[in-house]
Amino acid sequence: MEKKRNLKSFGDLMKNRVIKKAPAFEWQDLALRIISELNIPNNKRSSIFLVCKKNAKPIVEKALNDTKELCKSGEKWRYFFKLIEKNK
């Protein structure tokens, strides 16, 4: 009988669920990861999405890894954009 007290109704479970929408494309997921890891400002988010959409994933990931390795302080996103521009 104690187990029944701990059970919730289906309606209660549905109210408390968190809906997390998955990215539609792989490049969107990569862009979100870059935004979080490099602390990209809000006004540059769209540029990150554009970079991830137009460039191959290995190029973008290499620029991300190089940025994290070489730029220890300051605005990492500026360094990331310089690396992307250099790889074009």
PDB file of all heavy atoms in Angstrom, residues 9-19:
ATOM      1  N   SER A   9      -0.395  10.346 -10.506  1.00  0.00           N
ATOM      2  CA  SER A   9      -1.298  10.100 -11.624  1.00  0.00           C
ATOM      3  C   SER A   9      -0.588  10.471 -12.931  1.00  0.00           C
ATOM      4  O   SER A   9       0.384  11.221 -12.939  1.00  0.00           O
ATOM      5  CB  SER A   9      -2.580  10.917 -11.465  1.00  0.00           C
ATOM      6  OG  SER A   9      -2.301  12.285 -11.646  1.00  0.00           O
ATOM      7  N   PHE A  10      -1.077   9.967 -14.018  1.00  0.00           N
ATOM      8  CA  PHE A  10      -0.484  10.249 -15.324  1.00  0.00           C
ATOM      9  C   PHE A  10      -0.549  11.741 -15.621  1.00  0.00           C
ATOM     10  O   PHE A  10       0.382  12.319 -16.173  1.00  0.00           O
ATOM     11  CB  PHE A  10      -1.206   9.440 -16.410  1.00  0.00           C
ATOM     12  CG  PHE A  10      -0.604   9.614 -17.762  1.00  0.00           C
ATOM     13  CD1 PHE A  10       0.626   9.054 -18.064  1.00  0.00           C
ATOM     14  CD2 PHE A  10      -1.258  10.346 -18.747  1.00  0.00           C
ATOM     15  CE1 PHE A  10       1.190   9.218 -19.305  1.00  0.00           C
ATOM     16  CE2 PHE A  10      -0.697  10.502 -19.994  1.00  0.00           C
ATOM     17  CZ  PHE A  10       0.532   9.941 -20.277  1.00  0.00           C
ATOM     18  N   GLY A  11      -1.617  12.379 -15.226  1.00  0.00           N
ATOM     19  CA  GLY A  11      -1.763  13.821 -15.443  1.00  0.00           C
ATOM     20  C   GLY A  11      -0.701  14.620 -14.707  1.00  0.00           C
ATOM     21  O   GLY A  11      -0.153  15.585 -15.244  1.00  0.00           O
ATOM     22  N   ASP A  12      -0.381  14.215 -13.472  1.00  0.00           N
ATOM     23  CA  ASP A  12       0.665  14.897 -12.709  1.00  0.00           C
ATOM     24  C   ASP A  12       2.027  14.728 -13.375  1.00  0.00           C
ATOM     25  O   ASP A  12       2.832  15.657 -13.419  1.00  0.00           O
ATOM     26  CB  ASP A  12       0.728  14.365 -11.282  1.00  0.00           C
ATOM     27  CG  ASP A  12      -0.472  14.774 -10.442  1.00  0.00           C
ATOM     28  OD1 ASP A  12      -1.151  15.748 -10.823  1.00  0.00           O
ATOM     29  OD2 ASP A  12      -0.724  14.112  -9.417  1.00  0.00           O
ATOM     30  N   LEU A  13       2.291  13.537 -13.879  1.00  0.00           N
ATOM     31  CA  LEU A  13       3.554  13.295 -14.563  1.00  0.00           C
ATOM     32  C   LEU A  13       3.671  14.131 -15.834  1.00  0.00           C
ATOM     33  O   LEU A  13       4.742  14.641 -16.156  1.00  0.00           O
ATOM     34  CB  LEU A  13       3.700  11.810 -14.902  1.00  0.00           C
ATOM     35  CG  LEU A  13       3.894  10.859 -13.718  1.00  0.00           C
ATOM     36  CD1 LEU A  13       3.860   9.420 -14.201  1.00  0.00           C
ATOM     37  CD2 LEU A  13       5.187  11.159 -13.011  1.00  0.00           C
ATOM     38  N   MET A  14       2.592  14.279 -16.561  1.00  0.00           N
ATOM     39  CA  MET A  14       2.610  15.052 -17.807  1.00  0.00           C
ATOM     40  C   MET A  14       2.785  16.543 -17.538  1.00  0.00           C
ATOM     41  O   MET A  14       3.394  17.249 -18.335  1.00  0.00           O
ATOM     42  CB  MET A  14       1.328  14.800 -18.614  1.00  0.00           C
ATOM     43  CG  MET A  14       1.220  13.375 -19.140  1.00  0.00           C
ATOM     44  SD  MET A  14       2.635  12.868 -20.127  1.00  0.00           S
ATOM     45  CE  MET A  14       2.405  13.846 -21.569  1.00  0.00           C
ATOM     46  N   LYS A  15       2.277  17.039 -16.423  1.00  0.00           N
ATOM     47  CA  LYS A  15       2.423  18.457 -16.087  1.00  0.00           C
ATOM     48  C   LYS A  15       3.870  18.797 -15.766  1.00  0.00           C
ATOM     49  O   LYS A  15       4.335  19.889 -16.076  1.00  0.00           O
ATOM     50  CB  LYS A  15       1.560  18.805 -14.864  1.00  0.00           C
ATOM     51  CG  LYS A  15       0.105  18.951 -15.149  1.00  0.00           C
ATOM     52  CD  LYS A  15      -0.563  19.419 -13.872  1.00  0.00           C
ATOM     53  CE  LYS A  15      -1.945  18.826 -13.768  1.00  0.00           C
ATOM     54  NZ  LYS A  15      -2.583  19.126 -12.485  1.00  0.00           N
ATOM     55  N   ASN A  16       4.570  17.878 -15.142  1.00  0.00           N
ATOM     56  CA  ASN A  16       5.924  18.152 -14.666  1.00  0.00           C
ATOM     57  C   ASN A  16       7.013  17.816 -15.670  1.00  0.00           C
ATOM     58  O   ASN A  16       8.181  18.058 -15.394  1.00  0.00           O
ATOM     59  CB  ASN A  16       6.184  17.377 -13.366  1.00  0.00           C
ATOM     60  CG  ASN A  16       5.294  17.850 -12.251  1.00  0.00           C
ATOM     61  OD1 ASN A  16       4.876  18.995 -12.228  1.00  0.00           O
ATOM     62  ND2 ASN A  16       4.991  16.968 -11.319  1.00  0.00           N
ATOM     63  N   ARG A  17       6.690  17.291 -16.804  1.00  0.00           N
ATOM     64  CA  ARG A  17       7.728  16.916 -17.767  1.00  0.00           C
ATOM     65  C   ARG A  17       8.311  18.163 -18.435  1.00  0.00           C
ATOM     66  O   ARG A  17       7.645  19.185 -18.599  1.00  0.00           O
ATOM     67  CB  ARG A  17       7.202  15.951 -18.811  1.00  0.00           C
ATOM     68  CG  ARG A  17       6.285  16.586 -19.825  1.00  0.00           C
ATOM     69  CD  ARG A  17       5.812  15.572 -20.828  1.00  0.00           C
ATOM     70  NE  ARG A  17       4.932  16.238 -21.769  1.00  0.00           N
ATOM     71  CZ  ARG A  17       4.787  15.891 -23.007  1.00  0.00           C
ATOM     72  NH1 ARG A  17       5.409  14.838 -23.459  1.00  0.00           N
ATOM     73  NH2 ARG A  17       3.998  16.558 -23.808  1.00  0.00           N
ATOM     74  N   VAL A  18       9.561  18.062 -18.802  1.00  0.00           N
ATOM     75  CA  VAL A  18      10.268  19.153 -19.455  1.00  0.00           C
ATOM     76  C   VAL A  18      10.436  18.777 -20.920  1.00  0.00           C
ATOM     77  O   VAL A  18      10.997  17.734 -21.240  1.00  0.00           O
ATOM     78  CB  VAL A  18      11.649  19.384 -18.801  1.00  0.00           C
ATOM     79  CG1 VAL A  18      12.414  20.448 -19.543  1.00  0.00           C
ATOM     80  CG2 VAL A  18      11.482  19.737 -17.335  1.00  0.00           C
ATOM     81  N   ILE A  19       9.950  19.634 -21.784  1.00  0.00           N
ATOM     82  CA  ILE A  19      10.063  19.387 -23.221  1.00  0.00           C
ATOM     83  C   ILE A  19      11.288  20.126 -23.730  1.00  0.00           C
ATOM     84  O   ILE A  19      11.379  21.339 -23.644  1.00  0.00           O
ATOM     85  CB  ILE A  19       8.800  19.866 -23.962  1.00  0.00           C
ATOM     86  CG1 ILE A  19       7.587  19.114 -23.451  1.00  0.00           C
ATOM     87  CG2 ILE A  19       8.975  19.688 -25.458  1.00  0.00           C
ATOM     88  CD1 ILE A  19       6.270  19.618 -23.978  1.00  0.00           C
TER      89      ILE A  19
END
